[in-house]
Amino acid sequence: MKRILITLGIILVAVFSMTAANPYLPLWEHIPDGEPYVFEDPDHPGKYRVYIYGSHDSFRTMYCGPEQVVWSAPIEDLNNWRYDGVIFESKTNARGNLLNEGGKGDVLFAPDIAEVKESDGTKTYYLYPNTQNGGRQTMVAKSKRPDGPFKVCNWNIEKPNETVGILHFDPAVFVDDDGRAYAYWGFGESWGAELDTKTMATLKTGGQRIENLVPGFKQDDTFRFFEASSMRKIKDKYVFIYSRWTRDGEFGLPGSNYTLAYAYSNYPLGPFTYGGTLIDGRGREKDANGNTIPSANPTGNTHGSICEINGQWFVFYHRQTGINEYSRQAMVAPINVKVTEGLDGKVVISEGEYTSEGFETNGLSVGRRYPAAIACWLTGPSATTRNQNGNSVFTGSYVEATYINGIPKGNVYDLRWNCNPVVNNTDGSIVGYKYFNLDGIKKSSIQLLLRMKSLGPQGQIKVMIDSPWEGRGGQCIGHLNFNGKTAQETKDVAITLKGIYGKTGKHAIYLVFSSPSKHQSLCTLYNLCLQNK
């Protein structure tokens, strides 16, 4: 793995290497709704890459953006993600004229892609970019490369601003081993149909649309389909992944569409059997009293799918950052998949855990500096509330969304710009990281190095291991005091840790904030490093 030296302020020079901790893409990039696929690298036949197709939160004040971009990584190095550029923009119609005034193009929501193997041995890729503008909800574009560029292939001959086809909201397309293609879509109600493979957009001759492929959240108390259709085949089973609206009180929390679930069938269009939850973006945890709480953002949406890479299955999803749902980031978690074949067979998939690890499945490394924003536990003294204007008011720590103009040259994970600060660290807030691999500890003198900016109030950061609370198995291993007179400057602060030497394996680390100034943030966190002193 290539390493570079970068200067962080005036305090020290830190060694930093590329990392694919959660979020696994650079923190300035906002790719929600990620559909993962392993495709052959068109520039290196015989080599394969993981490609992520999602929407692009570039508008900042509303969902998504007018362009769709792709990132990819070689399957043998999931820490090395590459920006492959803009693959599609919906700006012109069938005659090459601008679709709307100003040439801004359509807003593009959650897409999908399908690979078709042609009779001559070549491959064609069909992108379903999900524009919801009138007459273009059925848009399909194709390319001979998985990284595009893609060109619309289903324009309506008679109406140059419209396309033809059957897919609508959150389109998904699956090509089976026999070459037959199937489409899935829906919002609140799920739909499915077999496609005409000549168009990859229209209904197969003699076919029919299947309504309520799985029951919607207003129709059924088990499946509870909301949106985000995605289809995968595992052995002889068809696995339908979707965003599920949980029941109020289910898991001990209010109802939410922040979970991905799955159902499975012996056939592409069902009937389906409900499988279970794949990931919960709320990060369900237990508080000091054993009550279930959301350890991440309590509200939000999610969209994603599952993918097998080098024999390991992963669930891909997204999280919210900032104080709205318009700066979402790509996340991943390993899962276990078990399939028993035959008509009576089952698909059993373990629920992924919301962690900081991402593709670093052996745990975060001792000695490596990480952005503070990979925190997977972000809570405050009480739940998120709303003020008199109806806007969200965060009562605890959260990750501040950041953007940069253009793509930086060199290492896109360079901490000089790969930094979403963790802010609003008020009294009672908890910031946690799951998990550090403590096998890397070689000395009895260990310290946690925090790059931070003190904001003035008096208070303390208590460093806990395994749990934020002693009553639930947590242990205090260090602390940092703020005397109320600390200069407000960004610098590295070292906290000596005790009771950690000799521990092995993976352990969670938590920062617990306390202050007599209840609603004032103690500091802003930029990055951290657990290191041998």
Side-chain angles (χ1 to χ4, degrees):
M1 184 178 295
K2 186 177 180 180
R3 297 193 174 208
I4 63 173
L5 294 179
I6 61 176
T7 303
L8 297 175
I10 60 174
I11 301 300
L12 56 79
V13 174
V15 175
F16 178 73
S17 58
M18 289 184 294
T19 172
N22 271 334
Y24 60 88
L25 297 180
L27 294 167
W28 44 263
E29 181 65 289
H30 300 279
I31 306 289
D33 311 319
E35 285 281 349
Y37 288 95
V38 174
F39 292 140
E40 187 173 19
D41 186 339
D43 298 320
H44 299 90
K47 297 287 186 178
Y48 290 83
R49 301 182 68 86
V50 185
Y51 292 84
I52 299 299
Y53 301 87
S55 50
H56 198 207
D57 278 350
S58 57
F59 278 144
R60 307 188 187 188
T61 57
M62 59 182 287
Y63 289 119
C64 306
E67 74 287 313
Q68 291 187 327
V69 305
V70 159
W71 287 76
S72 68
I75 61 172
E76 64 274 9
D77 186 3
L78 298 177
N79 279 355
N80 189 9
W81 288 85
R82 182 185 73 192
Y83 175 68
D84 289 331
V86 175
I87 61 170
F88 182 76
E89 294 179 278
S90 179
K91 289 185 176 182
T92 56
N93 66 12
R95 295 174 181 169
N97 299 322
L98 293 176
L99 283 170
N100 48 44
E101 187 176 351
K104 296 180 180 179
D106 294 345
V107 179
L108 302 177
F109 298 93
D112 197 16
I113 194 169
E115 180 186 74
V116 173
K117 298 178 181 178
E118 307 291 357
S119 58
D120 62 0
T122 62
K123 299 170 184 176
T124 302
Y125 297 88
Y126 289 87
L127 180 73
Y128 297 82
N130 193 8
T131 167
Q132 291 302 305
N133 283 299
R136 295 190 290 280
Q137 297 96 331
T138 57
M139 185 173 283
V140 185
K142 70 178 181 179
S143 173
K144 297 303 290 185
R145 295 175 57 96
D147 53 0
F150 287 84
K151 184 177 181 180
V152 177
C153 60
N154 66 326
W155 288 114
N156 187 322
I157 297 176
E158 298 177 353
K159 300 177 180 180
N161 281 9
E162 298 183 9
T163 55
V164 297
I166 60 172
L167 289 95
H168 286 278
F169 191 80
D170 281 359
V173 172
F174 165 74
V175 179
D176 208 346
D177 302 329
D178 59 4
R180 296 169 71 177
Y182 302 86
Y184 309 85
W185 68 94
F187 180 78
E189 294 181 335
S190 63
W191 293 77
E194 185 171 356
L195 289 175
D196 183 341
T197 55
K198 294 180 181 179
T199 66
M200 292 298 289
T202 56
L203 186 68
K204 181 181 178 180
T205 302
Q208 61 181 356
R209 297 172 176 86
I210 308 294
E211 186 176 5
N212 297 322
L213 192 75
V214 301
F217 71 101
K218 294 181 179 180
Q219 305 162 320
D220 170 87
D221 223 24
T222 300
F223 290 90
R224 299 185 64 83
F225 173 89
F226 184 68
E227 60 182 352
S229 299
S230 181
M231 177 61 73
R232 297 292 187 269
K233 187 176 184 181
I234 308 176
K235 294 185 177 179
D236 64 345
K237 302 296 180 183
Y238 298 86
V239 181
F240 181 63
I241 298 100
Y242 61 97
S243 170
R244 177 176 179 267
W245 192 287
T246 60
R247 298 186 299 274
D248 191 36
E250 189 175 2
F251 306 121
L253 295 172
S256 169
N257 62 317
Y258 214 171
T259 63
L260 284 181
Y262 76 100
Y264 61 92
S265 174
N266 293 316
Y267 308 99
L269 296 175
F272 285 90
T273 299
Y274 180 69
T277 301
L278 289 170
I279 193 74
D280 190 333
R282 298 170 295 183
R284 299 193 310 271
E285 289 285 356
K286 299 291 185 180
D287 66 10
N289 299 313
N291 301 312
T292 302
I293 61 170
S295 67
N297 275 19
T299 60
N301 61 21
T302 198
H303 188 143
S305 195
I306 62 176
C307 187
E308 186 181 24
I309 308 171
N310 289 331
Q312 172 64 60
W313 282 92
F314 293 91
V315 56
F316 290 73
Y317 63 108
H318 66 242
R319 74 170 186 180
Q320 326 298 319
T321 57
I323 56 175
N324 55 41
E325 297 180 17
Y326 309 138
S327 50
R328 297 162 292 176
Q329 294 176 318
M331 303 277 282
V332 68
I335 53 175
N336 296 317
V337 177
K338 181 179 180 181
V339 177
T340 54
E341 300 182 49
L343 292 178
D344 296 327
K346 298 180 178 180
V347 178
V348 180
I349 305 178
S350 65
E351 182 176 346
E353 185 179 5
Y354 191 108
T355 74
S356 303
E357 294 177 325
F359 288 111
E360 297 191 24
T361 54
N362 291 324
L364 305 175
S365 299
V366 172
R368 176 177 292 171
R369 188 180 286 253
Y370 291 95
I374 70 168
C376 61
W377 183 306
L378 294 154
T379 58
S382 62
T384 302
T385 59
R386 294 186 182 275
N387 62 19
Q388 60 183 1
N389 297 321
N391 297 320
S392 295
V393 178
F394 280 74
T395 58
S397 305
Y398 66 90
V399 175
E400 185 176 82
T402 59
Y403 297 81
I404 64 172
N405 294 320
I407 305 300
K409 295 180 180 180
N411 185 357
V412 294
Y413 292 95
D414 191 320
L415 286 177
R416 288 173 294 185
W417 47 70
N418 188 44
C419 178
N420 290 157
V422 177
V423 299
N424 207 44
N425 300 304
T426 56
D427 176 66
S429 296
I430 300 171
V431 177
Y433 301 86
K434 297 186 299 182
Y435 297 93
F436 277 92
N437 188 334
L438 300 187
D439 291 343
I441 292 179
K442 299 177 182 179
K443 299 180 180 180
S444 59
S445 183
I446 309 298
Q447 63 181 202
L448 178 64
L449 195 65
L450 297 178
R451 184 144 186 89
M452 56 182 289
K453 180 180 180 179
S454 174
L455 297 179
Q458 181 181 354
Q460 184 185 76
I461 299 177
K462 183 187 294 184
V463 184
M464 301 288 293
I465 191 170
D466 295 331
S467 171
W469 304 287
E470 292 181 355
R472 294 195 62 81
Q475 174 188 353
C476 180
I477 56 175
H479 62 270
L480 173 66
N481 292 320
F482 297 82
N483 60 15
K485 300 178 181 179
T486 306
Q488 296 187 33
E489 61 182 5
T490 301
K491 63 179 181 179
D492 289 289
V493 178
I495 304 174
T496 299
L497 305 181
K498 297 181 180 180
I500 193 172
Y501 182 66
K503 292 183 181 293
T504 58
K506 299 199 294 186
H507 294 262
I509 299 293
Y510 302 90
L511 307 179
V512 181
F513 295 83
S514 61
S515 173
S517 303
K518 298 297 183 182
H519 303 295
Q520 289 184 267
S521 180
L522 276 172
C523 63
T524 297
L525 298 175
Y526 294 101
N527 53 67
L528 75 163
C529 179
L530 187 66
Q531 63 182 19
N532 297 291
K533 187 176 179 180

